[in-house]
Amino acid sequence: MTTGRAFVYGDDIDTDQLAPGQYMAAPIETLAAHCLEAVDPAFASTVGPGDVIVAGRNFGMGSSREQAAQALKALGVAGIVARSFAGIFHRNAINVGLPVFTADVGGPIAAGDAVKLDVAGACLVNETRGGTIDLDPLPAFLLELINDGGLVPHLEKRFAKTRADARVQKESRV
Amino acid sequence: MPMTLAEKIIARASGRSAVSPGEIVTARVDLAMIHDSGGPRRVEPILKRLGVGLFDRSKVVLISDHFVPGDDEAGREILDLTRRWAAEKQVAFYDGVGICHVVLPERGHLKPGMFVVGGDSHSPTGGAFGAYMFGVGATEMAGVLATGEIWIRVPETILIEWRGRLGDGIAAKDIMLALCGRLGMDGGRYQAVQYTGEAIESLGMQERMTLSNMAAELGGQTGLIAPDATTAAYIREAGGEPGDISDWQGDADAAIAEHHVLDAAALQPQVAAPHSPANAADVDAYPDTPVDVAYIGACTGAKYVDLERAARILRGRKVASGVQLLVAPASRRDQERAAADGIMAVFEEAGAKVLTNACGICAGYGNARLGEDITCISSTARNFKGRMGAASSRVYLASPFTVAASAVAGRIADPRPMLAEGGPA
């Protein structure tokens, strides 16, 4: 768990702002350099590992393009805490291993505050102001997906187990 | 136990006799639709890494529409890769013949009761056919292609009832913009939106598709319309088999989370101001708003019915001087039908420029992207800042009637006076 800074945004941050259409054919590093530039031109060049996005309602509304979540992950963002998420973005974030939590955030956190996101404990520690914000816990299987690093490593584990089980069965038949 | 249409479909797909809202279940998918942008180029590396093939190639449909026609090298490479993958995997493939959400049903792939995922946020379009269809990202799609299954939290059903009939000059797009304005972009709470009422029942399938499609703009997971004789007739004509539609009706006593009742007869043409579909208001809220570009395109605004409506305005009229009218018919079939009916000739005579059957500038792809400070009125689904071009461009959303009327007037205009007076002599 790394201490980072809070980047605070409002409601309705959409996927076109997170992953602008004109860079969709480009590698994720190129796309990530333009992440949120329409809202905050300094974001991509200042955000770094351990930083946390704190936002309002309906974060990630719009497209199914998961580059919206991947760009944030590529920039080192530790997670997102929002009042609510758009459904597809929420699924995408978890699938690429980016922690996302809903919470009634607001008053006790400001842009630039030193914060630490505790995924397992489902809380956001504010080191600048003191205090801890409780986050709505994720269902166990979604937390497992995040802990595995996303859907692909999770499925790798699953397929490896299936193959191992099949091998054991085959050997026991011999 | 009484169940909604959404619950019945999910129960069947998850192998249960019944499901309740809030339960998380694993469902088998009946069909997976992917396109060139989020499809092969994104899913194949994951399938390779997992060391698996497709769960069932007969249940996968691939459609190229986002990078079509391949305006630059990167786009052409993506299209080439898409074609190679389609040939290698031997999946159903529609290459450059239109937008996925329009092509999938027009080729008979959808039927009531199906549980379907699409690699695009506007996949709720399938709900118009009584299928539970929703959009997912590329990684999740790769998981579906590998396993044939996906988790779903059984949604509540939000019933949206439109009583009465729409007036002339009012379209499904007006219904949706009004709903976005009223309920907000997260009014659907990622639950199942279901449309009902006389106004909905009287609509043809292409208009219903616009309603289901834009359940995405309401933040719903899907947008269902219970199948009826109109649905069955469309599916048969498309070469599909509708099955027994009586199986796929919600029970009258099923629990509904929200029930909104609206009056179709009172609905005015709607326009959504930049930069959100939720900024919708009656068309007369925008007096003297000049436009530079009018765009009739996208899955929600350039199907045959949309072209036909725009042509009713444009017949015998010209696009205002200084205004560019761009028309990108949503599918080749719809364009061919429009050409046969004289509609494409109307566009040409009015001074419109016709673009490829693809997503085009709706999603910021292609050469026609909006430049700095351009004001556009568009029949598309979304007007997020910078989506269709420069961040300084401004996009107003409206029905094809209103977009065409605005192209003629050179400013945002109510289409009804033009419809009432007919074409100039």
Side-chain angles (χ1 to χ4, degrees), chain B residues 48-195:
Chain B
K48 276 221 172 77
R49 185 172 154 187
L50 296 175
V52 295
L54 302 178
F55 78 104
D56 183 345
R57 71 173 180 83
S58 73
K59 292 181 177 172
V60 179
V61 176
L62 170 62
I63 297 165
S64 65
D65 58 4
H66 276 60
F67 288 101
V68 170
D71 287 327
D72 58 21
E73 201 185 326
R76 282 192 293 278
E77 277 177 17
I78 289 168
L79 290 172
D80 284 345
L81 184 155
T82 304
R83 289 171 190 133
R84 282 197 302 273
W85 193 86
E88 186 193 321
K89 303 290 182 190
Q90 295 187 295
V91 297
F93 178 41
Y94 301 100
D95 191 12
V97 296
I99 304 170
C100 59
H101 308 296
V102 180
V103 172
L104 189 74
E106 82 176 14
R107 306 295 169 127
H109 288 287
L110 293 177
K111 74 173 195 173
M114 287 174 86
F115 184 85
V116 189
V117 293
D120 190 280
S121 63
H122 286 120
S123 299
T125 310
F129 298 85
Y132 197 101
M133 186 164 178
F134 62 106
V136 297
T139 296
E140 189 142 44
M141 179 57 80
V144 168
L145 295 178
T147 65
E149 56 184 46
I150 190 167
W151 69 269
I152 183 167
R153 188 193 297 265
V154 180
E156 296 180 324
T157 289
I158 298 173
L159 203 60
I160 298 180
E161 178 178 353
W162 283 86
R163 293 189 180 154
R165 295 269 185 142
L166 295 173
D168 193 25
I170 316 288
K173 178 58 61 65
D174 297 302
I175 288 181
M176 288 315 300
L177 294 177
L179 287 174
C180 290
R182 197 177 168 118
L183 304 179
M185 295 283 291
D186 55 357
R189 303 186 286 110
Y190 205 50
Q191 306 302 307
V193 170
Q194 184 169 344
Y195 306 97

